[in-house]
Amino acid sequence: MAKARASYVCNSCGYQSAKPLGRCPNCQAWNSFEEEAPAVAAVKGRGGAYGGITGGKLTALSTVGRREEPRTSSGIAELDRVLGGGLVAGGVTLIGGEPGIGKSTLLLQVADRVAKASGPVLYVAGEESLEQIRLRADRLGVSAEIQLTRDTRAEHVAALMAEHKPALCIVDSIQTVTVEGEGAPGGVAQVRDGTSMLTRAAKETGTATVLVGHVTKDGTVAGPKVMEHIVDTTVFLESVGAFRLLRSVKNRFGQAGELGVFEMRGEGLMAVENPSAAFLAERPVGVAGSVVAATIDGQRPMLLEVQALASKTPYPNARRVVVGLDPRRVDVVLAVLERRLDLTLGGLDVYVNLAGGLKVPDPGLDLAVALAVYSAVVGRALPGNVAVFGEVGLAGEVRSTQAALRRAEEARRAGYTRLVVPPGLDGQPGVKSVEEAVGAVWAQVPAR
């Protein structure tokens, strides 16, 4: 019988190879491969093809009861929004983010609120001393009695969960958790088996559990990819200018793609209840090339500023610089402007920017880009009460976008009374082409 061969796994991204490689072809990490023991295959023998092993019990779907998973509020509305309504009893959440971005700060604030409202909280400190956590707690004004431990052995953490049955368990971080007999902490087998053991303990005790995960240089959670499949929810905390964005990429108990906006202050991460106002706070009024656009980031409608600038180029080939938007879509919009509106752009450098530092690949921003570039070229500002959204096709037509009603409601809530949008919204005629959009914004197109 052929001998089972060992495989090698990248401890950064989980890529598998039949032999060790100096550099991972998936995440480009150097010297990251570790040997993983082969799985023991079933042996044929007497009693059937599977050695006499019989199948388990079957349950008909119609006999399975219906049960709503109980939730516990984290005490932070923006976090509850991302999680789909709060922390689920027995649910496991993995939160990733760059070092120093605020993961531990946010979770210590959550621990304080949960401990005051719902019950005891267990905090497993794998990376910091208890004194460091106390200093942060004093800075954040944490006054609840949180139970701390430096013991990162997965078996012991599971035993503490079974003994005390806390309402919330925070493990900071999963890369420091060890499983007996599985090698060095942070290895592929350690992270995978530690996640599995803590997930099983969370399900058995009904403890809402949050695991902090390191990220690699490409922004993904470090460790085997199977770790993200084990947990119930995966969220990422990212930095955008002065703000922190919390985004869910997987959620078994709610809508994936939800977005929460925070601002880092001296007293911790503070929720931004009105992101549209925050991102438009520094928008210049009455300046050519500035357009307010209604967009959807994940499942959240927001108002952002699309900026454009056009200037004569000193180079043989004009430059196109795009920040925060899809450069290929911007090139399409510029081609439509030249072909359908006879707007001369050949001798102009064109710069397009999504103000605020966000990166939003939303086709619904096409019309805002078209009007911003047109405004910058002709030198005429849009009225201050206009908001725009719509996709632009190659024929110059304006197409409908997803969540159009929510975009419009967000714009009206922010005080924008004139909407330049595709047809069919609230029974309004809308604009069918870029030419109609220009006419809707300016009653008379100025001469170029």
Side-chain angles (χ1 to χ4, degrees):
M1 182 172 57
K3 182 179 178 181
R5 298 178 60 185
S7 62
Y8 294 84
V9 182
C10 174
N11 59 22
S12 178
C13 68
Y15 181 84
Q16 292 185 344
S17 172
K19 59 182 181 179
L21 303 175
R23 187 177 188 180
C24 177
N26 184 47
C27 69
Q28 309 303 318
W30 288 95
N31 302 320
S32 59
F33 279 85
E34 296 182 359
E35 185 177 357
E36 189 175 47
V40 179
V43 181
K44 293 184 179 181
R46 290 180 295 178
Y50 298 99
I53 299 176
T54 59
K57 180 183 177 182
L58 297 176
T59 302
L61 177 61
S62 59
T63 65
V64 179
R66 298 178 177 87
R67 183 185 67 181
E68 286 290 335
E69 298 293 341
R71 291 183 180 269
T72 300
S73 174
S74 66
I76 301 176
E78 287 293 294
L79 178 57
D80 287 345
R81 176 193 183 99
V82 174
L83 296 178
L87 297 162
V88 177
V92 181
T93 300
L94 175 65
I95 177 171
E98 296 288 340
I101 201 169
K103 301 184 298 296
S104 299
T105 297
L106 176 63
L107 292 179
L108 195 55
Q109 294 175 252
V110 172
D112 179 48
R113 288 163 172 77
V114 172
K116 291 176 180 177
S118 304
V121 173
L122 172 63
Y123 195 107
V124 181
E127 298 188 348
E128 298 177 303
S129 67
L130 302 185
E131 290 76 15
Q132 287 176 305
I133 295 177
R134 176 59 187 271
L135 288 174
R136 181 185 293 114
D138 291 342
R139 177 173 60 85
L140 299 177
V142 173
S143 58
E145 198 63 47
I146 301 170
Q147 302 300 318
L148 308 175
T149 179
R150 287 275 297 159
D151 191 344
T152 57
R153 290 170 290 182
E155 300 89 344
H156 292 201
V157 175
L160 287 173
M161 294 168 66
E163 179 182 355
H164 299 282
K165 291 184 172 54
L168 173 64
C169 176
I170 298 173
V171 180
D172 189 5
S173 66
I174 187 60
Q175 277 78 15
T176 63
V177 172
T178 60
V179 179
E180 187 176 356
E182 294 288 354
V188 172
Q190 287 277 9
V191 173
R192 179 194 59 209
D193 294 345
T195 303
S196 298
M197 186 173 294
L198 294 179
T199 300
R200 186 167 58 250
K203 304 298 182 185
E204 293 173 352
T205 62
T207 301
T209 304
V210 179
L211 310 178
V212 177
H214 296 310
V215 297
T216 60
K217 61 182 179 182
D218 62 352
T220 59
V221 177
K225 199 66 178 176
V226 69
M227 179 176 64
E228 297 184 41
H229 296 295
I230 295 173
V231 300
D232 300 306
T233 306
T234 303
V235 299
F236 284 94
L237 189 64
E238 58 189 82
S239 176
V240 176
F243 301 100
R244 302 290 190 270
L245 303 184
L246 186 66
R247 194 187 308 271
S248 66
V249 297
K250 171 191 175 182
N251 193 347
R252 289 175 178 161
F253 306 114
Q255 182 80 40
E258 287 288 354
L259 179 71
V261 183
F262 298 85
E263 184 178 6
M264 179 63 80
R265 300 177 185 172
E267 58 271 25
L269 278 176
M270 298 290 106
V272 178
E273 297 180 358
N274 190 352
S276 297
F279 284 115
L280 295 177
E282 300 180 4
R283 176 183 176 247
V285 179
V287 176
S290 175
V291 177
V292 174
T295 184
I296 291 285
D297 194 337
Q299 301 295 323
R300 184 166 198 164
M302 289 191 300
L303 298 182
L304 301 175
E305 180 191 3
V306 176
Q307 297 177 328
L309 178 65
S311 62
K312 291 184 179 180
T313 180
Y315 306 103
N317 297 320
R319 293 189 297 175
R320 304 289 184 258
V321 179
V322 181
V323 180
L325 298 164
D326 186 349
R328 292 171 297 182
R329 297 203 67 87
V330 174
D331 285 339
V332 169
V333 172
L334 297 182
V336 169
L337 289 175
E338 284 196 294
R339 180 67 174 173
R340 305 300 176 187
L341 271 70
D342 295 327
L343 191 66
T344 304
L345 300 175
L348 299 176
D349 289 333
V350 178
Y351 305 87
V352 180
N353 175 44
L354 189 61
L358 285 174
K359 295 182 180 179
V360 183
D362 178 18
L365 294 175
D366 289 354
L367 186 57
V369 171
L371 292 177
V373 173
Y374 190 93
S375 170
V377 172
V378 302
R380 188 170 181 179
L382 276 77
N385 62 341
V386 173
V388 177
F389 65 84
E391 181 181 353
V392 174
L394 292 179
E397 78 277 14
V398 177
R399 297 172 174 263
S400 60
T401 61
Q402 63 164 335
L405 185 59
R406 282 193 289 161
R407 296 177 194 241
E409 290 174 349
E410 178 70 13
R412 292 191 182 105
R413 186 179 66 85
Y416 292 89
T417 56
R418 291 180 58 192
L419 301 182
V420 181
V421 298
L425 180 64
D426 293 341
Q428 299 179 3
V431 293
K432 298 179 180 179
S433 65
V434 177
E435 294 93 332
E436 288 188 21
V438 171
V441 174
W442 299 286
Q444 182 179 0
V445 180
R448 296 188 295 276

